């Protein structure tokens, strides 16, 4: 009786092929692609975030959901001094659609920005409000909006903490 044995090289190739096949199967089962990323950089420190939970839909968010996402507390915390420059960066996909900065749930600019990068002085975010008081924290939301349909797609949140 003769038994066929594979050589060591053939066994290793078979195991490697099986591992690659299993990995591809797992990746294809995920089905969803990750959301784009927004980044805030202060000095040499960068803070990245995907869209807030339940605040991203390529088909467009409902208006009530947009308001909830913009006014919600929380987000990636970023420590800044009023002398710093805050650099905002977004994935090209967000820039193609257009993005707008909101401060504490209120629109801070009229037209969506369509470049991947911009730099703003931190002092702009901590200007005195009514009664001359400044807040130690400012909630910043970047709202991604479809340029054609004007529907909101995603909300990316950060909290600027004055140090």
């Amino acid at each position: 009786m003769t038994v066929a044995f594979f050589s060591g090289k053939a066994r290793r190739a078979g195991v490697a092929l099986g591992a690659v096949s299993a990995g591809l199967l797992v990746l294809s089962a995920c089905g969803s692609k990750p959301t784009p990323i927004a980044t805030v950089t202060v000095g040499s420190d960068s803070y990245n975030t995907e869209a807030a939970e339940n605040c991203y839909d390529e088909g467009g968010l409902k208006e009530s959901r947009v308001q909830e996402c913009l006014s919600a507390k929380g987000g990636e915390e970023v420590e800044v001094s009023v002398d710093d420059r805050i650099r905002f960066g977004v994935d090209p996909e967000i820039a193609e659609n257009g993005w707008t900065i909101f401060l504490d749930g209120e629109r801070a600019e009229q037209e969506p920005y369509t470049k991947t990068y911009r730099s703003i002085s931190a002092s702009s975010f901590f200007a005195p409000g009514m009664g001359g008081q400044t807040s130690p924290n400012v909630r910043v939301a970047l709202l991604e909006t479809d340029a054609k349909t004007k529907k909101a797609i995603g909300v990316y949140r950060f909290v600027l903490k004055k140090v």
Side-chain angles (χ1 to χ4, degrees), residues 77-146:
E77 291 187 2
V78 180
E79 290 186 349
V80 299
S81 165
V82 291
D83 297 330
D84 288 331
R85 292 227 33 104
I86 301 173
R87 293 175 294 283
F88 293 92
V90 297
D91 282 354
E93 180 181 331
I94 297 172
E96 284 176 23
N97 288 322
W99 53 288
T100 307
I101 295 176
F102 281 72
L103 301 176
D104 291 327
E106 300 294 323
R107 181 183 292 268
E109 53 195 356
Q110 293 302 314
E111 295 296 319
Y113 197 70
T114 56
K115 295 185 178 172
T116 58
Y117 171 85
R118 70 190 301 183
S119 179
I120 302 172
S121 172
S123 62
S124 302
F125 294 94
F126 295 102
M130 295 284 235
Q133 298 294 321
T134 61
S135 172
N137 301 324
V138 176
R139 289 181 293 115
V140 176
L142 307 181
L143 175 67
E144 177 185 2
T145 309
D146 185 297

